[in-house]
Each structure stands twice: as structure tokens, then as C-alpha cells.
Amino acid sequence: MADDTTFQNYIGGQWVDAQSGETFESRNPARTSDLVGRFPLSGGADVEAAVAAAKAAFETWRLVPAPKRGEILKRVGDLLTERKNEIAFEMTREMGKPHFETKGDVQEAIDTAYYAMTMGRQLFGHTVPSEMNNKFNMTVRRPIGVCGLITAWNFPVAVPTWKMFPAILSGNTVVFKPSEDAPHSGMLLVKVMEDAGVPPGVVNLVQGAGATGQAIVEHDDVAAISFTGSSETGAALAQRAAADHKRVSLEMGGKNPAIVMEDADLDLAMEGLIWGAYGTTGQRCTATSRLIVHEDVHDELVERVIAKAKELRLGYGNDAGVDVGPLINQKALDKVAGYMDVAREDGASIALGGAAATGDGLDDGFFFQPTLFTNVTRDMRVAREEIFGPVLSVIKVSSFDEAIDVANDVKYGLSSAVYTRDIARAFQALRDIDAGITYINGPTIGAEAHMSFGGVKATGNGHREGGWEVYDFYTETKTCYIDFSGGLQRAQIDNYDD
């Protein structure tokens, strides 16, 4: 590290400045006068150096036995456990969500590290019988090379580990670009990996903005890209990567529904809606942004949610008792505020909130009141577009089939929830909701470390993060035949007679 407020890239095991010498600032979104640090504004030359270091390291790292790679990740998990509170504090300072949430973010990284350790002994291939005599058939997994990892700011430790740990456990090396809105959190993660003994060049950190990510995507020696961010950026990235036949995994936007039926436990539903809609200030791809509620319990449930939301305390997330932090920056605040006019123009009612939050220590941050729209119809923009703020749109329905239809009637498909006591409805929801994740009687949150995470439609492109499925993305399958017959066997030609 250069000093307490100026930080560097990590390339080939060395902490270095951007070759241009340019930097950018990261500031506390709850207290913008608080400078978190200055970070390298990396360009093509920095990406070139990072990819070269990763490519060189791949030749030795791929030959390290997977269980040994897992042992290093075990040490990463141990260090994250030791530094959990410290990292969580700095994460809250940089991106705003309350300390209890950032501690959960680090815990998710810890769980992912320990799970990756176990996968070092489970990178299974297959052995299958041959159709020929004296012949052995099997498949094995092989690493694919240098992987470019581009991540968002809202889970700045957990999400990078979903990508990085499986990638390096599988024998790949990585070039990692955190969001420019959370560069310090990404740096702290890489420092843990350095201290845990990850060899030089296996993990490389390049800080920067969109041009930095673009340089990673376009580099000829980057074999795979894993991206978390907006659907629009992901689509453009995938089109560019396709020209070079790169493997691409996309985790993008959401417009997640929570269906509450007339037989639901309304207290349970209310608690789930508060956490799903207003946790992380609504800045989650899994945030509950649509409440689809049966008309019989609509009024009662809305009253309960409003009453509970009014109790939420806004503020700097490292202060005691804070429930909801700020939006990430002025651009995000302007976007959320703009949807208030959109809602009014479309005919929705603002039943709660609807404005920036000020006073009581909030004036130096990007705070917005927890907001709830009523009289929303499925065709309104606030029911279809990802707002990415503490905003919940309520849509009234008269049947379960209508609720499912409304839930599916958006371009996204990440997480979903259904509150009901009816087991038949629960299983119908699991079958019929068009989403990567469905919860029964729980909020639209993400997955556990050993479960797959991802979505359908404009949310993803078929790959998954987390669990065992992510290892399919970071490995190639090689098919192997051993013929010990001592003669030429021509498979189908010799084995079957017309």
C-alpha cells in the first residue's frame, strides 16, 4: 500500500500504481466529506501487465493439485474470519449498507472459501463403460486459463469470492476489477488472499472504470469473463466477447416479486417484505420490488408494511441502531427520485416516502426514504423497470393464477417469493414461476454458498454462481480413451453390422 489514503493495483504479486499515474476517489456515501481513498485509474497497459502475469502464473498453478489449492483457500477463509469486523466496517464506510449486513457479506465469503476447499477433492469427472472390448472411457476437468472478473459494488466482498474462489480452485488465474464504487473492499479481499499465500500472478487486481473492464473483455489472452452488473452492460459485454469465442457468465438485473395470498401469515410476510424491499437500501439484484397481493388482504398488509417501514432508522451504517443506509451515489439518488415522477404520471399513489431523506445527520449523504407505491398496475414502469432503491410497488390480484401471471410478466427472472399455507400452491409456484430462485414463505434473498445462484431471461445467460454448478463454468471437460486391445478398433464401424 502506498499510504493510508492512496492505494494500488496488485499485479504479479506486487502493489503498483497505474502506469498513467491517474487516480480516482472513493468517498463514504453516508458522509461524503469522508475520503475512503484514492485508487489507480487503470488503462490498457495495466490490464496488459495483469493478464501477462496471470498467463505466466497459470502454467504452474494449473499443476498444483486441487486439494492443495483448496488448502490455500482454507487459509483465506481463516483470515477472513479473523478480519471480519474490520473488513465489514470498511465496507460499510465505502458502500453504505449497515454493519450487520456487511458482516453477513464477509461471512458469505468465508462460507464460499470453506466450500471451495471441499471442492478441491470433488472436481469429479466420469468413468463410463466403453462399447468396445479392452477400452477404458473417462472424462476429467481441466482449467481454462485466465479469467476476467468484473463485479458490482453492492456485495463487494461476497460476490467477487463467488467468482474468484471457484476460478482459482479449478486451477485458473484471474484478473479482477471491482466496481469503481467499492474499490477499497476489493483491495481488502485481495490483501487477504496475498497474506494467505496465494502465489504471485494467480490473483491480479486492476482498479478503474468502464474502460478498464472493456480492456479485460477484449484481451486476447483472457479465456473467460464473469460479470455482475446491469443487463444493458452485460448484453454489450457478451456481444463483444462472443466475437472472440470467450466463455461468458452474466449475473444481471431483477424485478423480483413477492406473492402474498389470502391464507398467508401476514406478520411473516410483512417481515420478509421489509427485509426484501428495504435491506441494502433496495440496492440488491434480489430486492423485493413488487408485492403482488391478494385483494382480500391487500389493505391490511399494506398498513402493516407502512407501519413497520416508518420505524426503520436511516443513517451511517457503522452507527448503532441504523437499519437502512444511503444510496451509493448522487446518480443513484437522482434515478430513484426520478421514478417518483414516473409513478405519479402513470397513476400510482405514493403511500409512503417518496423523497430524499434529510436532517438528523443525513444531509451529507445520499439518503432516500423507504417508499411504497399503491394503485400500481402490471403495465406501469414502476412495475417493470429495475429502480434499484428502497421502493416497493404493490399490485393487487384476485387469484393465485393471476399472481403467477403478473410475477412472470417482466423481462427479468432472478428471485421470487410466495407466502401461503397451501402446499399445492407452494409446489405450483416452484414449478411455474419463471425465475432462477423461488422461496416459499421467505423473502427474495440470494442463495447459500453451497447452492446455485442466478436467473433467467434478462437476468442471466444460463450459467450459475455458487454451489457445485459454478465449477462447470470454470472448467473444461476433456474426454479420455485408453485402448489396451492391441489392435485397431473403429468403434461404430466395427461394432455394429447393417
Side-chain angles (χ1 to χ4, degrees):
M1 303 303 99
D3 59 47
D4 287 344
T5 58
T6 302
F7 302 95
Q8 298 173 301
N9 289 330
Y10 183 69
I11 297 175
Q14 301 294 318
W15 293 96
V16 295
D17 295 328
Q19 294 189 32
S20 67
E22 293 185 68
T23 62
F24 65 97
E25 290 184 348
S26 177
R27 289 185 175 272
N28 183 339
R31 298 175 177 174
T32 60
S33 56
D34 177 22
L35 175 67
V36 175
R38 296 178 180 87
F39 297 84
L41 186 59
S42 304
D46 305 294
V47 171
E48 183 68 39
V51 174
K55 185 178 180 182
F58 176 69
E59 293 307 315
T60 52
W61 181 246
R62 69 184 179 88
L63 300 177
V64 174
K68 296 295 184 183
R69 299 193 293 254
E71 289 173 9
I72 294 176
L73 285 170
K74 164 65 164 57
R75 292 199 291 275
V76 171
D78 292 344
L79 283 180
L80 286 170
T81 301
E82 291 176 17
R83 301 177 189 177
K84 182 176 180 178
N85 281 314
E86 169 196 339
I87 293 172
F89 180 93
E90 292 299 329
M91 199 189 318
T92 292
R93 182 180 169 218
E94 178 170 60
M95 56 72 60
K97 64 187 176 186
H99 189 253
F100 71 89
E101 288 198 54
T102 51
K103 281 173 50 178
D105 198 304
V106 180
Q107 184 60 51
E108 197 165 338
I110 294 166
D111 296 343
T112 301
Y114 291 154
Y115 181 73
M117 174 194 67
T118 69
M119 289 301 294
R121 298 180 182 274
Q122 298 184 74
L123 290 179
F124 298 131
H126 298 276
T127 57
V128 296
S130 172
E131 63 188 34
M132 311 298 290
N133 291 326
N134 299 319
K135 185 179 178 185
F136 185 82
N137 297 351
M138 67 177 179
T139 65
V140 296
R141 292 177 181 260
R142 303 174 71 239
I144 57 180
V146 179
C147 300
L149 313 180
I150 302 170
T151 61
W153 57 266
N154 55 341
F155 287 84
V157 170
V159 168
T161 68
W162 292 1
K163 305 174 187 295
M164 197 181 304
F165 292 175
I168 66 174
L169 187 281
S170 299
N172 304 292
T173 55
V174 304
V175 177
F176 167 43
K177 192 201 90 66
S179 168
E180 57 268 38
D181 287 314
H184 191 223
S185 300
M187 182 277 294
L188 291 173
L189 172 61
V190 171
K191 187 69 173 70
V192 166
M193 300 187 77
E194 178 191 36
D195 292 346
V198 175
V202 172
V203 173
N204 302 275
L205 169 71
V206 284
Q207 305 279 13
T212 313
Q214 183 177 350
I216 295 171
V217 172
E218 294 179 352
H219 199 290
D220 289 342
D221 290 330
V222 174
I225 299 290
S226 182
F227 168 81
T228 298
S230 73
S231 296
E232 294 73 22
T233 301
L237 180 157
Q239 290 175 12
R240 180 62 186 85
D244 297 323
H245 311 291
K246 296 182 191 293
R247 184 176 296 198
V248 176
S249 175
L250 303 175
E251 200 287 293
M252 301 178 289
K255 191 67 179 174
N256 308 291
I259 295 172
V260 180
M261 295 308 297
E262 78 284 356
D263 65 335
D265 179 334
L266 295 188
D267 286 331
L268 178 64
M270 179 270 293
E271 294 287 350
L273 290 164
I274 292 293
W275 175 238
Y278 304 124
T280 322
T281 323
Q283 299 173 116
R284 300 185 191 125
C285 54
T286 57
T288 305
S289 56
R290 293 182 294 155
L291 165 57
I292 302 169
V293 57
H294 193 278
E295 59 189 5
D296 289 354
V297 293
H298 172 277
D299 293 353
E300 182 180 355
L301 181 59
V302 167
E303 287 178 6
R304 292 192 191 197
V305 172
I306 289 174
K308 188 69 174 180
K310 286 180 177 178
E311 298 175 2
L312 297 173
R313 180 185 171 197
L314 277 62
Y316 174 40
N318 281 323
D319 289 344
V322 168
D323 302 300
V324 178
L327 293 166
I328 186 61
N329 53 34
Q330 185 65 51
K331 182 180 178 181
L333 183 64
D334 292 343
K335 177 184 176 182
V336 174
Y339 272 99
M340 303 304 109
D341 293 332
V342 169
R344 292 186 187 98
E345 290 167 6
D346 284 352
S349 302
I350 301 177
L352 173 71
T358 57
D360 298 325
L362 305 180
D363 293 338
D364 191 29
F366 306 113
F367 292 94
F368 201 88
Q369 299 168 352
T371 297
L372 185 141
F373 298 140
T374 55
N375 298 319
V376 177
T377 58
R378 66 161 77 186
D379 57 316
M380 291 181 182
R381 287 179 59 190
V382 294
R384 308 188 70 81
E385 299 176 9
E386 186 177 40
I387 300 173
F388 222 63
V391 180
L392 180 62
S393 296
V394 184
I395 304 170
K396 186 187 299 186
V397 295
S398 59
S399 70
F400 188 63
D401 287 341
E402 183 186 3
I404 296 288
D405 187 49
V406 172
N408 289 338
D409 188 24
V410 293
K411 68 178 182 178
Y412 302 105
L414 181 51
S415 193
S416 56
V418 176
Y419 287 86
T420 181
R421 291 185 173 96
D422 187 326
I423 190 66
R425 284 173 170 172
F427 275 92
Q428 182 183 343
L430 296 176
R431 183 191 66 187
D432 292 344
I433 292 180
D434 199 7
I437 303 168
T438 297
Y439 275 87
I440 304 300
N441 295 325
T444 61
I445 55 177
E448 300 175 27
H450 57 288
M451 295 288 284
S452 61
F453 179 91
V456 300
K457 299 188 283 190
T459 292
N461 65 335
H463 294 292
R464 291 291 182 267
E465 298 193 294
W468 57 94
E469 289 187 50
V470 69
Y471 291 88
D472 292 334
F473 177 76
Y474 289 109
T475 56
E476 302 264 24
T477 295
K478 184 169 187 177
T479 301
C480 306
Y481 298 106
I482 302 97
D483 190 322
F484 54 98
S485 67
L488 174 63
Q489 298 192 91
R490 298 181 298 176
Q492 291 87 350
I493 295 175
D494 293 338
N495 209 30
Y496 298 100
D497 236 341
D498 290 339

